[in-house]
């Protein structure tokens, strides 16, 4: 399984599709323990990112990731903008110059993205943030390689597991124990990112 | 939703336009951004001072742009951090070669977006330093939490770091006094009614007719306690005690009684009377008092109390002249 | 009623106390009265300038006490004129032998109480002159009616008569410029929500969730029309047109966009954008703009627009320095 | 029928009694077409005025009226304070120096009071104010002399007649035509002043 610029664009396309379909749902997750804008933020950002990369003609996936990163950074806003922006930016830097990414090169890119998110957000696992999806999924990929169905299941499980966590980072942290019982919004949108990857890789 | 607006999605742009139209001799916009700047930026030989954050806290932050305080303010959507590209443009516009200082309120979004902007600016060869304001004692603070929010105490950071920058101090010195303010300032707020973000059209939370919430954030983040509304004296006690329990104050302090939006000045002055009484009983001397709307939360009713421990340096910087829309002395 | 107060009957006294406690270097109370004065009254060689009225309009009027504006402000109970004995004490305190000038908003109670005070002062040998401000175009004006109400335009009278008095002009000259402002100033207000007088605890009137009232008074007196709430642009049109229909404006004007209490600054700036657009389309040049809370009505949501036709004399008096709590330039 | 200082104090006592009894009613009249404080204003003022004059030892009715005037002026507030204050002040001036007022001297005092009210308020009859009680009552006294029951009837009729008037002075004027259908609050309190006078004169 190899990823070229076209597939990278397809990944963004699929991600956007899922985000738009679940815009209301994402916002509803952000309402009880946040400020109720996550769906709006993500839908605005990915729509613009897709428009940007669809219009371009990219030699490498890294170039796609860079434009996605810059668009997300300037269009999403809030906390998730710099987080997803940083993720794609680090992915771009880690995979720079390579026309086609093999499995190990792409996973290295995802590792860099995860590190970027953790650094930017000063968060670690267990804090009820998107890190709680990114870290287990990246680790699972390191151990198991690209297996679409396994990837999807891992991402979904990680997302659902945020429900029982108490938030200690982001807006949800102000709700302290009351944050328990709600899936984290950024974990859910991260799940869509990986679900889209699984579909693209699975050839759907 | 009862608001004097046109398209809710254009509210911030409309506001910025109306603001510079009101004070064209003092303020200008940076084209195609949400940045409001002094007329004469960059000021030669001066560290550039920038603050900003989500809109809805007016007069913060554009109201503090001017001589003796900020060089530029970056406005995000209502209660949403501005994005790094906007902050970057502000940094580039105010840098005179002496570096730029960012005053950031401690919210995840603000911190991340401003930090990213700082990194981008540094990549372009601009020296950037920052301070993160976290004066709200309502929130627990530790390295394992999001930490305390930045609220009205931020205005003292603008004032004092602004005065230092205006003196021609270098970046590290501006940072030093800004950090000194942050170390010495504490705030505590309370709300009587929620506010309505124009784009959502709905109140951000609910409070019963006889309830107040102590320790609430300026975006309606939950506070410490929801209880029966008390008298001004009880509220003064509650806010003062929470602050004094967090940190000792002695000698000279500055006091800010900040209205959150809908609370009439009359009530702020009544609260001030009670706060001053409590402080004087505790032997704390009030060097200077500010009463008014400095850091609001749209049309939320409520207030916050801020205490700043002063020393000789902070006193002289607090006393220095300032000439902005919302803070002039 | 959600208010930060102690005893509603003590609200005005508590407010006045909290006010002078906040700014002890600038303001003082006249013992056992509701008068707030400059520190150094009477100012030798200067006509004394006094305004006042019911409380609940803060920062009016004590916020305008200081160099370049008023010498004293007399506060009544909420929305109730102060009594003649209070006004008399203020007159006696600020008279330096050059006479005293009273700025009175046109409400039956205010006019009668201030006039009585003037008579009592004259009986004690003090020269007193007055102006009655009636800028509110919402009300019909004729000698057979109560006449127009005085609203936010009053602040321009304070500013301009204050500047004239500060120059050392004599009483008749202060009166002349004050009357010139009154002849040249027009205002129109609108409300989105009522306010609650502390002593009554109940809203003064009712407006439906999607209603606004055009032409309302600053104590909730009925306006011209109650209608579906419009956009900022529609509101700007309505207020501007009512004013321009009443009087022609041309050349240079000063604009005041005044918040009634609960309306966020964001909305005032949005309204300003629209007002400025309309004026510029009509070829009216805005010389100076003031946006903020200048004459409020407790926690009423809404605003007023004031236009002041300027000539060279009014421009230079408007531009003169002023150093008060609420108006400083 | 003659009025001395003691009777003058009794008049104030009786007026206060009626005002206190009808405080709520007076306020309720001021609510639909005013600011709902007339009962409060009057009750505060007459209570203080009575305390003042009961404590004093007055040689003439004019001295009583003067203290009543000054107390009303400084305690009632609003529009009615200077109006009733002016009325008693003018009455005091017009009757000054006389230990006992005969009918004609007292009516002269009331005429002066009426003139004072009209001057102070710049109002005339038909404007739905207290003038619409004071003027007909004073005229009736000029024509008929002191006859308690007639006086009472005249005052009551005048008060009720304000119901059909449109206000053109005072706060009620802002309500324009909508002021029709409500008795004027100041007319009602003026009625109590004359009702008290009728009772005192009638020896009740
Ligand atoms: N410090 C952090 N580290 C990692 N992720 C975070 C952090 N803070 C917030 N997030 C993620 O961002 C999401 C909220 O995004 P969004 O609602 O768009 O921004 P905001 O909270 O500024 O409104 C959260 O659900 C969480 O997953
Ligand atoms: N210009 C006037 N002339 C005579 N009487 C007046 C005038 N204006 C008001 N009044 C009287 O005063 C009464 C209102 O008194 P009050 O409610 O105490 O004062 P305010 O209107 O200031 O609240 C009215 O009912 C009316 O009788
Ligand atoms: Mg959110
Ligand atoms: Mg947000
Ligand atoms: Mg009244
Ligand atoms: Mg009244």
């Amino acid at each position: 399984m190899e990823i070229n610029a076209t597939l990278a664009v397809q990944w963004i396309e699929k991600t956007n599709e899922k985000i738009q379909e679940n815009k209301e749902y994402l916002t509803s997750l952000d309402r009880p323990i946040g400020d109720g804008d996550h769906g709006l933020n993500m839908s605005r950002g990915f729509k613009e990112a897709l428009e940007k990369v669809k219009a371009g003609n990219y030699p490498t996936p890294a170039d796609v990731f860079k434009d996605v990163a810059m668009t997300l950074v300037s269009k999403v806003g809030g906390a998730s903008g710099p987080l997803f922006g940083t993720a794609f930016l680090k992915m771009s830097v880690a995979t720079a110059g390579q026309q086609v990414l093999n499995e190990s090169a792409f996973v290295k890119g995802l590792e860099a993205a995860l590190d970027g998110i953790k650094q930017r957000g000063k968060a670690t696992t267990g804090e009820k943030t998107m890190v709680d999806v990114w870290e287990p999924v990246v680790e699972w990929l390191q151990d198991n390689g690209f297996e679409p169905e396994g990837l999807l299941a891992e991402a979904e499980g990680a997302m659902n597991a945020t429900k029982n966590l108490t938030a200690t980072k982001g807006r949800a942290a102000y709700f302290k124990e009351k944050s328990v019982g709600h899936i984290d919004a950024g974990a859910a949108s991260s799940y869509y990112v990986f679900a889209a990857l699984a579909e693209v890789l699975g050839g759907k | 939703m009862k608001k004097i607006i046109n398209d809710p999605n254009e509210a911030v742009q409309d506001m910025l336009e109306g603001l510079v139209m009101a004070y064209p001799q003092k303020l200008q916009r940076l084209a195609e951004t949400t940045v409001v700047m002094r007329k004469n930026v960059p000021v030669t030989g001066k560290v550039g001072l920038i603050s900003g954050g989500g809109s809805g806290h007016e007069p913060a932050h554009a109201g503090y742009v001017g001589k003796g305080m900020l060089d530029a303010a970056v406005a995000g959507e209502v209660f949403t951090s501005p994005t790094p590209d906007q902050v970057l443009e502000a940094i580039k516009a105010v840098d005179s070669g002496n570096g730029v200082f960012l005053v950031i309120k401690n919210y995840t979004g603000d911190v991340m977006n401003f930090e990213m902007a700082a990194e981008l600016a540094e990549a372009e060869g601009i020296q950037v330093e920052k301070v993160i304001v976290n004066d709200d004692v309502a929130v627990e603070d530790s390295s394992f939490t999001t930490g305390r929010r930045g609220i009205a105490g931020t205005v003292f950071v603008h004032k004092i770091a602004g005065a230092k920058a205006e003196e021609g101090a270098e970046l590290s010195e501006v940072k030093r006094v800004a950090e000194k303010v942050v170390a010495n300032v504490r705030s505590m707020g309370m709300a009587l009614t929620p506010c309505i973000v124009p784009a959502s059209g709905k109140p951000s939370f609910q409070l019963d007719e006889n309830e107040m919430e102590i320790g609430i954030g300026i975006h309606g983040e939950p506070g410490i306690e929801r209880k029966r509304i008390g008298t001004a004296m009880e509220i003064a006690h509650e806010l003062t005690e929470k602050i004094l329990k967090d940190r000792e104050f002695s000698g000279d302090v500055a006091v800010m009684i900040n209205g959150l939006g809908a609370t009439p000045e009359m009530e702020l002055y009544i609260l001030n009377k009670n706060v001053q009484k409590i402080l004087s009983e505790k032997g704390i001397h009030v060097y200077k008092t500010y009463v008014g709307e400095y850091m609001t939360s749209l049309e939320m009713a409520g207030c916050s109390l801020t205490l700043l421990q002063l020393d000789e340096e902070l006193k002289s910087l607090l006393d220095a002249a300032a000439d902005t829309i919302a803070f002039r002395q």
Side-chain angles (χ1 to χ4, degrees), chain A, chain B:
Chain A
M1 157 88 288
E2 294 188 322
I3 291 181
N4 60 15
T6 311
L7 205 78
V9 171
Q10 280 171 18
W11 179 24
I12 302 308
E13 198 163 2
K14 203 46 129 188
T15 303
N16 178 57
E17 206 179 291
K18 292 187 181 295
I19 297 279
Q20 302 306 339
E21 272 167 17
N22 295 286
K23 178 177 158 180
E24 289 305 323
Y25 171 65
L26 288 172
T27 287
S28 77
L29 291 177
D30 194 33
R31 214 171 272 130
I33 56 169
D35 59 349
D37 61 359
H38 189 63
L40 284 164
N41 294 345
M42 295 297 287
S43 92
R44 183 175 54 237
F46 270 91
K47 182 169 165 280
E48 297 252 5
L50 178 62
E51 268 168 34
K52 176 91 186 176
V53 297
K54 273 190 91 167
N57 192 351
Y58 296 94
T60 69
D63 293 305
V64 176
F65 299 154
K66 184 162 182 216
D67 272 3
V68 169
M70 295 322 285
T71 310
L72 294 181
V73 157
S74 66
K75 295 298 172 194
V76 175
S80 49
L83 288 166
F84 280 109
T86 300
F88 279 92
L89 199 62
K90 296 287 173 174
M91 226 186 305
S92 168
V93 172
T95 60
Q98 306 174 54
Q99 260 192 306
V100 176
L101 307 175
N102 62 18
E103 202 168 293
S104 112
F106 184 56
V107 171
K108 281 219 172 65
L110 290 175
E111 283 169 27
L114 167 62
D115 285 348
I117 291 173
K118 289 171 77 174
Q119 243 169 33
R120 178 66 64 213
K122 298 182 188 83
T124 179
T125 49
E127 303 206 82
K128 196 179 183 102
T129 71
M130 60 176 71
V131 173
D132 292 309
V133 167
W134 278 81
E135 182 146 319
V137 167
V138 170
E139 279 174 4
W140 188 90
L141 284 169
Q142 288 166 333
D143 295 345
N144 303 283
F146 283 118
E147 196 275 288
E149 272 164 44
L151 169 61
L152 188 68
E154 182 62 30
E156 195 173 352
M159 169 184 72
N160 287 326
T162 64
K163 195 164 175 174
N164 297 322
L165 296 174
T166 306
T168 49
K169 288 286 149 66
R171 281 180 199 278
Y174 302 126
F175 292 83
K176 291 185 260 181
E177 310 74 42
K178 286 183 194 133
S179 63
V180 175
H182 303 274
I183 289 175
D184 174 62
S189 54
S190 299
Y191 159 72
Y192 293 125
V193 171
F194 289 113
L197 182 65
E199 286 188 23
V200 170
L201 295 178
K204 280 196 219 166
Chain B
M1 176 176 58
K2 292 196 137 182
K3 287 186 187 289
I4 304 171
I5 52 172
N6 296 305
D7 179 353
N9 299 312
E10 298 296 321
V12 172
Q13 290 293 338
D14 281 359
M15 165 183 73
L16 294 174
E17 223 173 303
L19 173 70
V20 296
M21 277 175 154
Y23 306 105
Q25 68 288 5
K26 300 200 157 183
L27 299 177
Q28 59 174 326
R29 291 185 68 178
L30 183 59
E32 285 169 59
T33 68
T34 58
V35 178
V36 173
M37 317 186 291
R38 294 195 204 181
K39 284 302 283 238
N40 58 337
V41 287
V43 183
T44 317
K46 195 183 92 66
V47 166
L49 206 66
I50 295 177
S51 188
S55 293
H57 305 302
E58 291 68 30
H61 294 279
Y64 304 118
V65 171
K67 203 162 175 278
M69 292 183 84
L70 306 177
D71 290 272
V74 194
E77 283 304 308
V78 175
F79 295 171
T80 302
S81 170
T83 53
D85 52 317
Q86 302 288 308
V87 181
L88 177 62
E89 292 307 317
I91 294 174
K92 291 200 279 191
V94 307
D95 180 40
S96 67
N98 295 61
V100 173
F101 190 70
L102 306 179
V103 180
I104 310 170
K105 296 195 297 306
N106 190 32
Y107 297 97
T108 312
D110 283 348
V111 172
M112 293 195 298
N113 284 288
F114 276 78
E115 280 183 353
M116 255 188 118
E119 289 162 22
L120 295 168
E122 279 162 351
E124 297 195 21
I126 302 176
Q127 227 190 320
V128 181
E129 287 286 356
K130 64 166 198 280
V131 72
I132 294 178
V133 188
N134 59 351
D135 54 320
D136 185 356
V137 302
V139 180
E140 273 166 65
D141 192 24
S142 89
S143 50
F144 304 108
T145 64
T146 309
R148 288 178 166 171
R149 301 175 288 232
I151 57 175
T154 311
V155 179
F156 283 132
V157 182
H158 297 165
K159 176 64 192 74
I160 283 167
K164 193 73 191 171
E166 211 71 47
E167 280 178 4
E170 54 187 44
L171 190 52
S172 61
E173 274 294 283
V174 174
K175 185 180 165 80
R176 182 183 61 75
V177 297
E179 284 177 343
K180 192 168 172 181
V181 177
V182 171
N184 286 284
V185 71
R186 296 291 186 279
S187 301
M188 180 82 184
M190 60 82 60
L192 292 170
T193 69
C195 61
I196 297 177
V197 174
S200 106
K202 288 190 202 77
S204 46
F205 58 96
Q206 300 285 346
L207 274 175
D208 276 354
E209 182 45 39
N210 52 14
E211 269 182 345
M212 63 177 181
E213 181 148 339
I214 300 287
I216 202 154
I218 53 174
H219 315 92
E221 300 93 344
I224 291 177
E225 206 183 346
R226 194 168 275 209
K227 49 159 76 172
R228 228 190 130 73
I229 177 169
T231 63
M233 193 54 176
E234 286 161 2
I235 293 167
H237 261 295
E238 194 128 15
L239 301 183
T240 314
E241 257 150 42
K242 288 271 164 32
I243 290 175
L244 296 182
K245 220 158 94 182
D246 187 74
R247 184 194 193 287
E248 252 181 67
F249 284 80
S250 61
D252 287 332
V253 304
V255 172
M256 179 176 279
I257 308 280
N258 170 59
L260 289 181
T263 288
E265 247 180 48
M266 174 181 284
E267 297 174 36
L268 300 180
Y269 282 116
I270 293 174
L271 185 71
N272 182 51
K273 175 189 155 174
N274 292 296
V275 167
Q276 304 267 346
K277 194 159 171 283
I278 294 167
L279 293 177
S280 120
E281 279 164 12
K282 296 199 187 283
I284 298 169
H285 177 250
V286 177
Y287 178 75
K288 214 159 192 166
T289 306
Y290 298 89
V291 178
E293 295 187 349
Y294 289 93
M295 178 73 72
T296 62
S297 190
L298 294 170
E299 71 279 72
M300 199 184 285
C303 65
S304 66
L305 168 65
T306 299
L307 296 186
L308 170 64
Q309 177 69 58
L310 295 169
D311 63 8
E312 292 312 310
E313 181 183 37
L314 293 184
K315 270 190 232 176
S316 88
L317 291 167
L318 184 62
D319 287 343
D323 183 14
T324 75
I325 304 310
F327 198 110
R328 197 186 318 230
Q329 66 177 21

